[in-house]
Every structure is written in structure tokens, then in C-alpha cells.
């Protein structure tokens, strides 16, 4: 890990967002912004990640195109249902549709499938609106 003074701000309750082209950024609650860009406690999206995906973890300092963030307290609320979804997806011969998920009759699987799709769409929308600014 890099020395503690080498970051611009801290992000908590963070998640990794992936765009349809594979590029990634992080969204989370910002604090201690040394550049004075963000209101304390605001939820932000970062610029695109420069750090490799393997380096993104609690306690690490990540680098984006514009800043360096110390990551704390990753949002872990959905880990269990996403793990269940990933295990189910790995067993499917082709990418499933919503109707395939509904046919399984598992509410956790449905929740994870819909939530992942929503987060992907929200990430795309956030990124497009950020580019328009």
C-alpha cells in the first residue's frame, strides 16, 4: 500500500462500476477531499480507473485519471446474492434472459440479476452525464 498522505480523498461505501466497453470507475461516499472539489459526505463517481482491478480493495489507494483515493469500507451488502448469481451464470450454456431467471423461481437470483443490470445501466448513465458536463 502507498503512504497514507498520498491520496486526494477517501471513499467509503464504494462499489466498482463497469461500462459496457470494459472501462471501470468507482462510486462511493467521499470525505477529506484535499482538492476541495466535493462536499463532505457526497456520493461521487470517480474518473476512469488507472489502477488494475486486482489492486482495488479496502485499505488500498487507487489511482484514477484525475485523482488518488483511499478506499475504506467497501459496500458488501450484495456479495452473497451476487456470488449465487455468478455460480448460476457459470452453469448456463448461453447468456440467460430475464425469463430464464424467472423460470428458476429464486427471488435472490432474480434480485441479483436485476440489480446487476440496473447498476450497469446506472453506471453508463452516470458516465455519459459526467462527460456532458
Amino acid at each position: 500500500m502507498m503512504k497514507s498522505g498520498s491520496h486526494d480523498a477517501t471513499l467509503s461505501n464504494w462499489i466498482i462500476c463497469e461500462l459496457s466497453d470494459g472501462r471501470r470507475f468507482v462510486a462511493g461516499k467521499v470525505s477529506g477531499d484535499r482538492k476541495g472539489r466535493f462536499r463532505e459526505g457526497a456520493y461521487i463517481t470517480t474518473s476512469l480507473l488507472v489502477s488494475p482491478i486486482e489492486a482495488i480493495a479496502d485499505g488500498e489507494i487507487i489511482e484514477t485519471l484525475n485523482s488518488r483515493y483511499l478506499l475504506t469500507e467497501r459496500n458488501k451488502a450484495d456479495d452473497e446474492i451476487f456470488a449465487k448469481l455468478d455460480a448460476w451464470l457459470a452453469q448456463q450454456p448461453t447468456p440467460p434472459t430475464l425469463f430464464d431467471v424467472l423460470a428458476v423461481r429464486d427471488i435472490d437470483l432474480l434480485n441479483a440479476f436485476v440489480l446487476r443490470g440496473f447498476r450497469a445501466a446506472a453506471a453508463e448513465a452516470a458516465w455519459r452525464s459526467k462527460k456532458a458536463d
Side-chain angles (χ1 to χ4, degrees):
M1 180 160 61
M2 299 172 201
K3 63 182 181 149
S4 62
S6 64
H7 60 278
D8 302 314
T10 299
L11 284 180
S12 61
N13 198 31
W14 58 272
I15 60 171
I16 299 170
C17 302
E18 186 168 345
L19 299 171
S20 57
D21 62 8
R23 296 179 300 163
R24 295 181 177 105
F25 61 92
V26 176
K29 185 177 178 179
V30 70
S31 62
D33 179 21
R34 295 179 180 161
K35 293 182 176 179
R37 301 162 296 177
F38 308 115
R39 179 180 47 82
E40 191 73 11
Y43 282 88
I44 66 160
T45 58
T46 68
S47 56
L48 292 174
L49 286 168
V50 173
S51 296
I53 192 73
E54 302 82 29
I56 302 169
D58 280 348
E60 295 295 326
I61 294 175
I62 60 159
E63 188 172 350
T64 68
L65 292 174
N66 300 323
S67 302
R68 296 161 68 91
Y69 296 93
L70 171 62
L71 300 179
T72 64
E73 304 169 38
R74 181 177 65 86
N75 183 331
K76 300 175 187 173
D78 304 313
D79 285 359
E80 191 174 313
I81 64 169
F82 283 136
K84 185 176 185 175
L85 174 64
D86 289 337
W88 182 77
L89 289 172
Q91 297 173 355
Q92 304 309 304
T94 59
T97 66
L98 179 59
F99 297 110
D100 297 326
V101 179
L102 286 169
V104 175
R105 300 171 92 70
D106 183 322
I107 193 67
D108 288 336
L109 206 59
L110 177 62
N111 286 341
F113 188 81
V114 171
L115 183 57
R116 186 170 281 166
F118 173 77
R119 283 188 178 167
E124 290 285 341
W127 188 253
R128 288 174 199 249
S129 88
K130 193 175 198 174
K131 285 176 65 177
D133 288 344

